Amino acid sequence: MKPEPDPAVVVFAPVPRDAVTLRALLEEEAMRAHCCADAGEFYAALGNTPLFAVMTEEGIARCAPDELSRLLRTQPPWSNLPLLVLADADQRRIDTNRFVHLAEIGNVTLLTRPAARLTLVMAMRSARRARLLQFAVRDQMQELAEHAEKLESTVAERTRELQAEIAERRRVEQTLAEAKRLESLGQLTGGIAHDFNNILQVVTGSETLLRLLLGPEPDARVLRALQSIRRAADQGGSLTQQLLAYARRQPLANIVLDLRKHLHTVSEMILHMLGPEVQVRLQITPGLWRVLVDPSQLDAALLNIAGNARDAMPDAGRLVLAARNRTLPDAALPEGAHLAGDFVEICVTDNGHGMSAETAQNAFEPFFTTKSFGKGTGLGLSQVYGFAIQSKGLAFIRREETGTAVGILLPRCASASDTAAAEKKQAGQEIKGLRVLYVEDDPDVAEVTAAMLQSLGATVTTADSADAAVRLDLSAIDVVLSDVMMPGELDGIGLARWLATQHPHLPVVLTSGYVLAPERLQGLKMGFVRKPSAIGALADALVKAAARR
């Protein structure tokens, strides 16, 4: 790429002979000349960044001092235009004041005529060198400005990156703080539920004892009062189970569940969780079979599915909670092709943006999530799958034309209310003579529960801690019934593990409404009864455990 030629030299010499002479000298020095015909053209040429300017005395006389002064004063910071002025040697013809004024505002070199050729050429060469140095300064200033602009851009970009990093760090810290807060809240909730369950156990046990102490023809008012106590205790028990479902501090405690009633309650919970923007519809097939399931874990699973559906419908949408009977294998349900028997299918369908095939394939994997960091743990659907498998059923995902369907299959339970009543009566008969070691640190709960078991004919020995229980002679004990959370070196789970090694043939039934670490129960062969427990459920668990000896 050829370098650009130097700018032209502006010449203002009204006398033609002077203009021709100056042009010839400049061309000999390889400099281009721009000869101006009048002052206006001269002014315009000065504004085009010339190499330098040459004026004769006659040219100065035709210029307006103010305009020439303005042009020279408004040069860029790097510019100081060399100005060669040719004047006669006769001082009387020289306007000294005018030259002095130009010298004050510009880079003026005054040459007298007639000037020697060498003198004039050397002055032109000097003006050219000075101007080229000014151009070099201009270029360097431009480069510095570009570098400064680039530096400012880099600093601004890095500042934005740092701000983004700081914002992300704050978001992560807030997420961790929120997780810790929720964990603390879960522990607090579970602790409150545990204490409340003990209170309810005393209430329900006392209500049961009062019924047993009534004569054959009790006062109807007393029965109504006892029934009110039972309803209130049941409602309190449901409340604590919801708290524990949030705290996730409980093992599975399956009961025979009427899904028709239960799903109505769940649909109301889902409706409150999703808000008014999402329509919730309930579709339950008449004659829906009963299932043996942990209701709180079922609630948690359905709420997890509904929460995922809400994320798929950020603005508004529709969610359908449906339940129907299935006899498998069924061609209409290929997901359950490997199952056989009677099941109840619970399906939650949304009309959100749906899942990709890859997402649907991995959705049940622990910690798999498509949400941004901090928005989800990836454990919601894995809990659904684990719950369904643990309940001897299945969980599946079906991609719909619009939205997603997540289903749970639960095995049918043939037990009806009359069958349960018969089993309770049978349990009450079989518990007679059973020797029970009851370990409970709450004296009120221990007194009421022991009295209930004794009313059924069991022989009850009590201990106020697991540490005290291990010091007893257990040779005359048929079954151990123990609370889980107790002070001392051993809690209920620790006692069960100690018995498994020291007295492996002695069955254990644990009872609690709150388990701090449910995973500790894994690998233990024992029964479990959730507080507050009815006398029938407690007696049934003890009889079944004793039968395993």
Side-chain angles (χ1 to χ4, degrees), residues 22-38:
L22 291 171
R23 177 188 292 275
L25 285 175
L26 290 169
E27 290 177 351
E28 287 178 4
E29 293 296 318
M31 290 184 274
R32 295 184 299 114
H34 178 191
C35 296
C36 301
D38 52 37

Side-chain angles (χ1 to χ4, degrees), residues 57-76:
E57 183 178 357
E58 294 79 9
I60 292 178
R62 297 188 184 187
C63 289
D66 293 340
E67 181 63 18
L68 188 59
S69 175
R70 184 189 66 81
L71 289 172
L72 294 176
R73 289 183 183 277
T74 56
Q75 297 180 78

Side-chain angles (χ1 to χ4, degrees), residues 202-224:
V202 176
V203 173
T204 56
S206 300
E207 183 267 341
T208 300
L209 285 176
L210 287 174
R211 288 180 181 273
L212 294 174
L213 295 174
L214 290 176
E217 295 181 0
D219 191 323
R221 293 174 298 177
V222 175
L223 290 178
R224 286 196 298 271

Side-chain angles (χ1 to χ4, degrees), residues 107-127:
N107 183 12
V108 178
T109 300
L110 181 61
L111 302 173
T112 58
R113 295 184 298 192
R117 175 186 178 86
L118 181 60
T119 301
L120 192 54
V121 169
M122 291 182 64
M124 290 180 177
R125 291 176 180 175
S126 177

Side-chain angles (χ1 to χ4, degrees), residues 366-406:
F367 303 107
F368 176 82
T369 179
T370 57
K371 301 174 185 177
S372 59
F373 181 76
K375 298 294 184 180
T377 62
L379 294 175
L381 289 180
S382 64
Q383 181 271 338
V384 174
Y385 182 80
F387 157 72
I389 297 299
Q390 190 175 0
S391 301
K392 303 186 186 307
L394 177 69
F396 63 88
I397 295 176
R398 184 187 302 126
R399 299 168 61 212
E400 305 287 350
E401 292 184 3
T402 302
T404 306
V406 181

